[in-house]
Amino acid sequence: MEDIASRGERDTRVPQRRLSTARSFWLPLTLGGLAFLGAVWLFGAVAEAVVHGDALTLDTRIAQWFHQRAIPGFTLAMLVITQVHSLLGISVVAAILACFLIGKRDWYWLLVLVLAVPGGMLLNVLLKNVFQRVRPSFSDPILVLTSYSFPSGHVVASTVFYGVLCAYLVLKFDAWRWRALVVLLAFVMVALVALSRVYLGVHYLSDVLAGFAEGVVWLAICFMALQFLPRRH
């Protein structure tokens, strides 16, 4: 009787484990697919407006509005944010996170980080050279850059980095309030980087929107591709 009872208990646990595994596999894949489609639509809409010149009027007005209201103290804060989240700054913090993951022997998330951050940066360089958009121009600029403007590399780099960090921390917390806080903080950091680029006059609004969309698209591709690894092993 004990053998039959224990066998029956094992039989009921097997379908439950299979259902749990299926949910843990398909739910992230579905969410990633939805994020991918939404971000592709956003990037396509912004890119089309930029190519046809439809976004230039609004972009110029917003850039002029921020430039005319520049305040020295706020300008310093924006300069700090933009420097910390430069390609060099993101590379440094990504390397620190990589060392942490190596210490934890968390090879899956290390692979995610290595694929997402450098890959997103390289993709951005390619897109900049495809669109070749000139940066905003002012008679008294705060910053002067000669590279192409569209999409914003700072926003792409911060989106992929904070996206990976956010996903990693969300899975470490069980309470939904902490998960929501992590997601909110990641979004705020990316928004601050985008604001700093527009405020400092080195990007248009459409540049940072496209940078965010590009980062989300690349993150979705990375997560959907690597979602098959745990199942395979």
Side-chain angles (χ1 to χ4, degrees):
M1 293 294 294
E2 292 182 359
D3 292 339
I4 296 176
S6 60
R7 190 183 306 118
E9 183 179 355
R10 288 196 300 270
D11 292 342
T12 57
R13 288 177 180 176
V14 170
Q16 292 176 355
R17 286 198 298 269
R18 289 178 178 173
L19 180 60
S20 177
T21 302
R23 287 177 177 175
S24 65
F25 176 77
W26 288 110
L27 181 59
L29 203 61
T30 302
L31 294 177
L34 292 175
F36 174 82
L37 293 175
V40 166
W41 175 85
L42 176 60
F43 184 89
V46 174
E48 183 179 7
V50 169
V51 170
H52 291 88
D54 299 334
L56 186 59
T57 301
L58 180 60
D59 277 342
T60 303
R61 288 179 180 177
I62 293 176
Q64 290 289 347
W65 189 91
F66 277 109
H67 189 72
Q68 292 170 1
R69 289 161 178 79
I71 303 172
F74 192 71
T75 300
L76 179 60
M78 293 291 98
L79 284 170
V80 171
I81 290 175
T82 205
Q83 289 299 324
V84 170
H85 294 87
S86 65
L87 299 185
L88 176 60
I90 290 293
S91 298
V92 170
V93 293
I96 294 173
L97 179 57
C99 292
F100 172 80
L101 294 173
I102 292 173
K104 291 289 186 178
R105 303 181 67 83
D106 203 334
W107 309 121
Y108 173 81
W109 283 101
L110 179 64
L111 181 59
V112 172
L113 180 68
V114 170
L115 181 62
V117 177
M121 293 179 179
L122 290 175
L123 177 62
N124 181 253
V125 173
L126 175 62
L127 290 176
K128 280 181 181 291
N129 284 279
V130 169
F131 289 95
Q132 298 185 2
R133 191 186 196 188
V134 179
R135 292 182 184 271
S137 177
F138 302 95
S139 58
D140 54 339
I142 301 175
L143 286 179
V144 177
L145 298 175
T146 57
S147 57
Y148 295 126
S149 178
F150 183 92
S152 169
H154 279 62
V155 175
V156 171
S158 60
T159 299
V160 294
F161 173 75
Y162 286 114
V164 172
L165 182 61
C166 175
Y168 178 78
L169 292 177
V170 162
L171 293 179
K172 297 299 179 182
F173 291 120
D174 294 327
W176 280 103
R177 62 178 179 274
W178 292 112
R179 292 183 172 185
L181 179 61
V182 167
V183 173
L184 177 62
L185 289 176
F187 180 79
V188 168
M189 292 306 300
V190 175
L192 284 175
V193 175
L195 174 62
S196 73
R197 303 306 285 171
V198 176
Y199 176 88
L200 294 172
V202 292
H203 278 298
Y204 293 111
L205 175 63
S206 56
D207 296 336
V208 299
L209 289 177
F212 174 74
E214 178 196 338
V216 173
V217 167
W218 182 246
L219 272 178
I221 291 175
C222 294
F223 280 121
M224 287 190 294
L226 296 177
Q227 184 64 19
F228 291 93
L229 289 181
R231 185 180 180 89
R232 185 174 300 170
H233 289 291

